[in-house]
Amino acid sequence: MSAEASKRHQWQWENATAGAAAGFATVAVMHPLDVVRTRFQVNDGRVSHLPSYKNTAHAVFTIARSEGLRGLYAGFLPGVLGSTISWGLYFFFYDKAKQRYARNREGKLSPGLHLASAAEAGGLVSLCTNPVWLVKTRLQLQTPLHQTRPYSGIYDAFKTILREEGFSAFYKGIVPSLFLNSVDYAVLGATSKLAAILLTYPFQVQLSVPSFKVMRARLQQRPSGDGVPRYMDTWHVVKETARFEGIRGYYRGITANLLKNAPASSITFIVYENVLKLLKPTIRND
């Protein structure tokens, strides 16, 4: 391996490691708001196994009072696992895609190719991590009102889903997830300035594609006791939400989403940049 290739290989894993650390830190801090967001998103007012909350603050206090810290951190392990893997894979795939596009362009990429690299990385991340996000969603939706046997943890959830619903169940919600992640990550690739990302990313993405987050969450919730899913596919979610809730249904959980993602993106990139700085001297010394 040439010195240049070796350096490039080290840089890829440097990015992946920093991304993974950033993902872990973000989830550890913001997970309670993620639980609240998910519960708002799937509550269409026609289910009995989910409690109703007046607003985000009421949801946080109610969950803390009735379910304790365990409720606020429901699905934490798959959340950490999914976020850590997602950010690690994203920066790895993104760097690989940029290298591929830059081969015959003297190392210079247009904004369009940066965006394409980010969207490509986002799609690959979705395919790799959808099973983890599905398990996280289901664990977050387990409440004392649930009528089915609760999953005892992440391993039990994977095992039970595989046994009762088959492998294909792990890819429920993949269509909105592919679109959502590709757009999310493409926004990150559209600018190289950290300040611009921190100021604009949380709001432009969360306000432009909230419906896809709702669709994904609703598709990923656990089937009822008879094994029949509440929603069959993405189009079914679109029709039923429009029919019973109107446009408001597509924006459920948006307050918790904005409160979560505004600081979350800052945490992600601050941790990413600092871990990257720590790793660079180590790799140079190697």
Side-chain angles (χ1 to χ4, degrees):
M1 184 183 292
S2 67
E4 184 178 349
S6 177
K7 184 178 179 181
R8 187 165 59 242
H9 178 73
Q10 289 174 328
W11 173 249
Q12 290 166 5
W13 287 106
E14 192 177 321
N15 274 305
T17 302
F24 175 84
T26 303
V27 175
V29 175
M30 306 308 301
H31 193 77
L33 282 173
D34 192 54
V35 173
V36 171
R37 177 191 67 177
T38 302
R39 293 191 180 184
F40 269 118
Q41 286 174 336
V42 302
N43 196 340
D44 57 9
R46 297 181 291 134
V47 293
S48 59
H49 64 272
L50 284 175
S52 295
Y53 308 114
K54 296 176 183 177
N55 51 49
T56 301
H58 179 245
V60 172
F61 286 120
T62 301
I63 295 170
R65 186 175 61 250
S66 61
E67 302 173 54
L69 195 63
R70 186 186 183 108
L72 288 173
Y73 277 86
F76 178 70
L77 183 56
V80 167
L81 184 64
S83 188
T84 302
I85 293 172
S86 291
W87 282 108
L89 287 177
Y90 167 71
F91 285 111
F92 178 74
F93 287 142
Y94 180 49
D95 193 61
K96 293 284 272 187
K98 286 194 300 180
Q99 287 180 27
R100 189 174 66 252
Y101 287 128
R103 278 174 190 162
N104 298 319
R105 294 177 176 83
E106 299 180 352
K108 295 180 180 179
L109 291 182
S110 66
L113 287 176
H114 274 285
L115 190 145
S117 299
E120 178 184 316
L124 289 170
V125 167
S126 288
L127 291 172
C128 293
T129 59
N130 201 74
V132 180
W133 296 130
L134 180 132
V135 169
K136 184 203 76 166
T137 296
R138 293 196 176 183
L139 288 173
Q140 288 179 333
L141 295 177
Q142 291 189 154
T143 73
L145 299 178
H146 243 276
Q147 298 172 348
T148 53
R149 183 189 73 82
Y151 304 123
S152 61
I154 183 172
Y155 175 71
D156 182 53
F158 274 108
K159 185 174 64 174
T160 304
I161 293 167
L162 187 61
R163 184 181 67 248
E164 295 181 352
E165 303 171 60
F167 182 78
S168 62
F170 290 116
Y171 282 88
K172 287 183 177 180
I174 189 62
V175 173
S177 185
L178 280 169
F179 180 84
L180 177 65
N181 277 2
S182 294
V183 170
D184 273 0
Y185 289 125
V187 171
L188 304 187
T191 176
S192 60
K193 293 184 178 179
L194 179 62
I197 292 173
L198 298 183
L199 289 172
T200 64
Y201 166 68
F203 305 101
Q204 59 191 349
V205 176
Q206 309 315 320
L207 289 173
S208 61
V209 289
S211 59
F212 288 93
K213 294 178 182 291
V214 173
M215 289 178 207
R216 180 176 65 182
R218 293 187 176 190
L219 284 167
Q220 291 182 339
Q221 61 186 314
R222 192 174 187 176
S224 57
D226 57 8
V228 178
R230 186 165 183 78
Y231 298 100
M232 305 307 294
D233 52 39
T234 303
W235 180 236
H236 189 212
V237 179
V238 173
K239 289 191 298 182
E240 291 292 289
T241 302
R243 178 185 174 192
F244 291 102
E245 302 166 75
I247 191 68
R248 185 176 180 179
Y250 298 114
Y251 284 83
R252 288 194 181 275
I254 192 170
T255 301
N257 206 34
L258 285 168
L259 289 173
K260 169 184 174 288
N261 282 290
S265 59
S266 300
I267 294 169
T268 298
F269 283 95
I270 289 171
V271 173
Y272 173 76
E273 289 293 325
N274 281 280
V275 172
L276 209 55
K277 288 177 183 177
L278 287 173
L279 291 175
K280 281 181 180 178
T282 303
I283 288 179
R284 274 199 294 266
N285 291 336
D286 289 344

